[in-house]
Amino acid sequence: MGRRIIAIALAAILLAPAGCSPSNEPVAVNRAALGTFVTIEAWGPDRGDVRDAIEAAFDEIADVEAELDAYREDSAVAAINSDPFGWHQLPASAVEILDATDRLEVQASFSSALKGVVALYDFDGPGHVPTDGELSAALIAAGLPQREDGRFRFPGLSSSTAMPGLDFGGAAKGLALDRARTKLRDSGAVTAALVTAGSTTVTVGSKPDGEPWRVGVEDPRQPDTVRLIAEWTGDAALSTSGDYQRYFERDGVRYHHILDPKTGRPAEDTRSLTVVGRFSGLDSDILSTALFVDGPEAAIEYARANGLGAFIVDSEGRTHLAPAPADSAVELTEQVGE
Ligand code: AMP
Ligand code: MG
């Protein structure tokens, strides 16, 4: 799973300008977290204080994982999933994700209740192509989850024997990076920072050399080829969702991990989708997944209507670009292959 995601992170780092003077060098820490590698680069007058702030930021990320990681036995979400038809108090991070999904109006394409459906594909094992019967049972079980006063439960419909579960894999990284960014900002020690989990990157402040943040987005079929360069100064977020990050192939068909909640099948029209703008990491992470499902046309329309930049490589390898609005001062430059 991690290999391609790391390639995006490397693109982000390799694009940083070379030749910084020593005082402009960031403190950089790379660590396994959130099912991938997270890198924090941060600048500030006192490198020791910057280092402490980075440690505190990684602690925040670990706290989010302890709440949301459905695949960790001791997480709050794993506890809910082990008894999905009983009422449970949701951790604040889960409430934040569910509320953001509603606020962004992407409930039709983004669902945090797909664990039972995702599990059918056995992406982390040899891979399995679910039957129609398996898919419909899992979709019925996911049903319309109920929420009341911060509590949550699945409906427990007797017409399905499948077990539903919460899976925040489409949004947890964005939320965790936001928490890390807030910690860095509030430390008072950090004047500028980039936090990246590869598929999502957030920034705060501006680098001391005045250079913009530069993040490269790789080609979904050629990880060493950068297809888009995004540049900005100050606070922003960028997320990429791809059909190459978690998948298997069977009989020449690629079964990837971004599922249309309406059918339970991998979304068909997109290979990779990137959103970038002056929004939170959480919003960017939710939207890259949701707009991937919606397909290129609807994605470009959503980006235009909501003042975001978007870059899509569709299922035919064609590219689609919605430039970020001029007043956002986020520059997107498509890289044309040689
Ligand atoms: P991302 O890489 O952010 O696009 O997230 C993909 C992950 O989110 C998958 O590996 C699943 O765990 C989960 N997921 C898949 N499809 C959806 C969907 N339509 N809405 C929300 N989460 C999803
Ligand atoms: Mg996402």
Side-chain angles (χ1 to χ4, degrees):
M1 169 192 168
R3 200 172 71 85
R4 300 288 200 269
I5 297 173
I6 295 162
I8 299 177
L10 285 175
I13 294 159
L14 292 173
L15 288 170
C20 308
S21 70
S23 63
N24 283 348
E25 288 275 349
V27 179
V29 180
N30 178 261
R31 212 167 269 175
L34 301 168
T36 178
F37 286 92
V38 173
T39 300
I40 300 180
E41 292 184 356
W43 287 257
D46 183 306
R47 294 177 71 83
D49 291 348
V50 172
R51 201 164 279 284
D52 291 345
I54 289 176
E55 285 305 321
F58 273 111
D59 288 347
E60 285 286 305
I61 290 171
D63 288 349
V64 172
E65 273 191 289
E67 290 181 356
L68 293 184
D69 188 346
Y71 300 91
R72 245 175 78 160
E73 259 175 39
D74 58 345
S75 75
V77 164
I80 295 175
N81 288 345
S82 68
D83 171 29
F85 308 125
W87 283 106
H88 298 273
Q89 200 68 35
L90 284 167
S93 51
V95 172
E96 207 177 315
I97 292 172
L98 295 172
D99 286 348
T101 306
D102 292 346
R103 170 173 47 79
L104 296 166
E105 298 182 351
V106 292
Q107 303 93 328
S109 46
F110 191 91
S111 167
S112 297
L114 292 180
K115 180 162 187 285
V117 186
V118 174
L120 289 176
Y121 289 86
D122 193 17
F123 288 113
D124 302 323
H128 170 70
V129 180
T131 63
D132 289 351
E134 285 172 329
L135 278 178
S136 64
L139 286 170
I140 291 168
L144 270 184
Q146 300 162 342
R147 272 175 83 194
E148 246 178 54
D149 305 328
R151 294 185 315 147
F152 176 96
R153 74 167 179 191
F154 282 94
L157 300 170
S158 55
S159 50
S160 178
T161 46
M163 283 293 272
L166 287 166
D167 172 355
F168 289 104
K173 285 193 198 102
L175 179 100
L177 301 196
D178 283 341
R179 296 269 173 92
R181 170 166 70 174
T182 301
K183 203 77 192 170
L184 293 165
R185 184 195 283 129
D186 293 351
S187 70
V190 169
T191 55
L194 175 143
V195 187
T196 184
S199 56
T200 294
T201 299
V202 301
T203 59
V204 52
S206 293
K207 286 190 274 185
D209 61 8
E211 286 290 322
W213 303 111
R214 301 180 79 214
V215 177
V217 175
E218 67 190 357
D219 184 289
R221 295 291 177 272
Q222 293 172 287
D224 295 332
T225 304
V226 172
R227 295 301 298 270
L228 179 84
I229 294 178
E231 293 175 287
W232 66 85
T233 54
D235 299 12
L238 176 148
S239 285
T240 298
S241 287
D243 71 355
Y244 54 98
Q245 290 171 335
R246 203 177 166 206
Y247 71 95
F248 63 89
E249 278 172 347
R250 196 65 36 92
D251 300 327
V253 178
R254 176 181 294 241
Y255 295 88
H256 66 80
H257 67 145
I258 302 177
L259 306 179
D260 185 335
K262 295 178 277 305
T263 62
R265 296 181 199 287
E268 282 182 355
D269 299 332
T270 313
R271 287 182 186 167
S272 93
L273 184 141
T274 298
V275 284
V276 52
R278 304 290 179 181
F279 54 175
S280 65
L282 174 59
D283 287 10
S284 78
D285 198 356
I286 289 176
L287 285 175
S288 70
T289 309
L291 300 183
F292 187 110
V293 170
D294 288 339
E297 249 174 65
I300 293 284
E301 207 177 297
Y302 187 101
R304 292 224 168 98
N306 291 280
L308 308 171
F311 177 70
I312 298 149
V313 181
D314 70 22
S315 52
E316 309 290 326
R318 289 181 303 239
T319 58
H320 308 252
L321 180 71
D327 63 2
S328 75
V330 173
E331 202 68 49
L332 300 185
T333 313
E334 189 170 350
Q335 305 296 292
V336 182
E338 54 288 346

